[in-house]
Amino acid sequence: MTLYKAGGEDKHFAELFVGVHGGDWPRAKDHWTRVGQHVGDRTSELEGLSQRKAKAMIEDLARTVCLDMAAVGACWACGRDTVNR
């Protein structure tokens, strides 16, 4: 995950989200992507934004969803069940 390499809050998020997936980086990346796609497909506020702004908003919203769920040991893309913690 390039987030991990970015350091700071991005690295913290990556570590927490990957940790929920038992250290399985490819699975965590896939689930992060799926959450982003879900958010992007269902967020009407993206209409009218430039592609760059829409992408940034999707990433922010997806990160918020994933971070909140990872904090309690869950992943939306894993079926909302509590997973490895």
Side-chain angles (χ1 to χ4, degrees):
M1 282 183 149
T2 57
L3 291 173
Y4 184 82
K5 294 177 184 176
E9 290 181 29
D10 290 338
K11 181 179 178 180
H12 171 73
F13 165 73
E15 289 174 336
L16 188 60
F17 195 61
V18 171
V20 170
H21 293 88
D24 186 341
W25 285 84
R27 183 173 165 209
K29 182 179 179 183
D30 176 62
H31 289 186
W32 160 251
T33 300
R34 288 172 50 196
V35 171
Q37 289 171 339
H38 181 82
V39 167
D41 290 345
R42 289 162 179 80
T43 305
S44 61
E45 289 81 3
L46 299 172
E47 293 177 26
L49 294 179
S50 70
Q51 187 174 8
R52 186 174 59 83
K53 286 184 180 181
K55 181 181 176 189
M57 185 178 210
I58 289 168
E59 287 178 358
D60 287 344
L61 292 170
R63 184 183 314 217
T64 299
V65 169
C66 291
L67 188 57
D68 286 350
M69 293 194 78
V72 296
C75 170
W76 174 87
C78 287
R80 297 181 185 91
D81 295 332
T82 301
V83 292
N84 297 317
R85 189 167 169 131

